[in-house]
Amino acid sequence: MKNRKISLQQKLWMIVFVILILSLAFGFILSQIFYEKLYVDYVKTNLLNTAEAVAKDYNGEEITDEFKELVEWMNTKMTGELFVVNNPKELSACLPFEIAYDSLIDGEDRQQLLKGEPVYKKEYIERFEREVIAVIHPLLHEGDLEGIIYVYTPIQPFLKFGKVLMYTWAVTATLFLIITF
């Protein structure tokens, strides 16, 4: 076998190529972190604040028609969806929708709600046909779960969110290679 030496120009191109690949990988990882920490956390915080604001208007007894009307009115003013369910068993039985889907809360969620703690969900929900971030806030009266405020908003999956960034990186990398020739 011949002992082939790599020229200085080839070594420089290999270094440029490795740096380019590493920067693309770093950019992708960084954008994933920004997506989770900035976008998803921001949406979750807004939903929690909305649910807490609605829960403050709950008087701690039976859920009245006036309270339901207030929730419906607030729903028209926000970008996500907001509804209240009188009976938490109805929510786990897929109401207020009259469709046979999986329940929105499970036993573990119910236990957390009974403690007075909100439940966060970020998942694909078949009934909404999209990925959503949801906050389920309990309405408690003397330790009993009288109802639930369910606030959710659809979110853009990371791939849709990151497409612009990936295209920008690809164009920039291509321009860089063209300029260096």
Side-chain angles (χ1 to χ4, degrees), residues 30-42:
L30 193 60
S31 64
Q32 178 73 27
I33 291 169
F34 284 155
Y35 171 77
E36 284 295 323
K37 294 296 177 197
L38 296 178
Y39 177 64
V40 172
D41 287 351
Y42 174 76

Side-chain angles (χ1 to χ4, degrees), residues 2-177:
K2 287 186 176 181
N3 191 5
R4 186 169 182 216
K5 292 187 177 189
I6 299 175
S7 69
L8 181 60
Q9 183 180 9
Q10 289 173 329
K11 289 179 184 178
L12 288 174
W13 275 111
M14 287 177 19
I15 290 171
V16 167
F17 183 72
V18 168
I19 290 173
L20 183 65
I21 296 298
L22 289 176
S23 68
L24 286 173
F26 178 74
F28 181 78
I29 292 168
L30 193 60
S31 64
Q32 178 73 27
I33 291 169
F34 284 155
Y35 171 77
E36 284 295 323
K37 294 296 177 197
L38 296 178
Y39 177 64
V40 172
D41 287 351
Y42 174 76
V43 170
K44 186 167 59 171
T45 301
N46 282 342
L47 293 177
L48 179 61
N49 291 339
T50 301
E52 288 176 346
V54 172
K56 285 181 183 177
D57 291 325
Y58 173 63
N59 62 11
E61 295 178 0
E62 185 177 312
I63 297 174
T64 63
D65 289 336
E66 292 84 24
F67 182 71
K68 289 179 185 178
E69 289 172 6
L70 171 71
V71 170
E72 288 175 18
W73 178 80
M74 288 187 76
N75 187 38
T76 63
K77 305 295 182 199
M78 62 180 288
T79 56
E81 292 291 322
L82 167 70
F83 59 87
V84 65
V85 177
N86 288 35
N87 185 348
K89 290 180 182 176
E90 291 176 356
L91 183 60
S92 62
C94 301
L95 289 176
F97 307 100
E98 296 293 333
I99 304 171
Y101 284 110
D102 293 333
S103 65
L104 293 173
I105 62 171
D106 56 23
E108 188 176 305
D109 295 339
R110 186 172 171 79
Q111 292 304 315
Q112 188 173 345
L113 291 167
L114 284 169
K115 293 176 187 174
E117 300 171 359
V119 174
Y120 301 103
K121 292 192 177 255
K122 179 186 168 233
E123 61 190 2
Y124 181 84
I125 297 188
E126 189 174 328
R127 90 176 56 184
F128 304 137
E129 297 179 352
R130 60 184 61 182
E131 188 171 358
V132 300
I133 294 179
V135 173
I136 306 167
H137 197 282
L139 298 174
L140 298 172
H141 175 65
E142 297 177 0
D144 293 331
L145 199 53
E146 292 294 322
I148 296 173
I149 298 170
Y150 193 92
V151 188
Y152 74 93
T153 189
I155 59 169
Q156 295 295 326
F158 174 72
L159 292 178
K160 285 185 180 180
F161 182 77
K163 270 186 182 178
V164 173
L165 182 64
M166 288 189 280
Y167 289 141
T168 304
W169 277 87
V171 168
T172 305
T174 304
L175 287 174
F176 175 77
L177 290 175

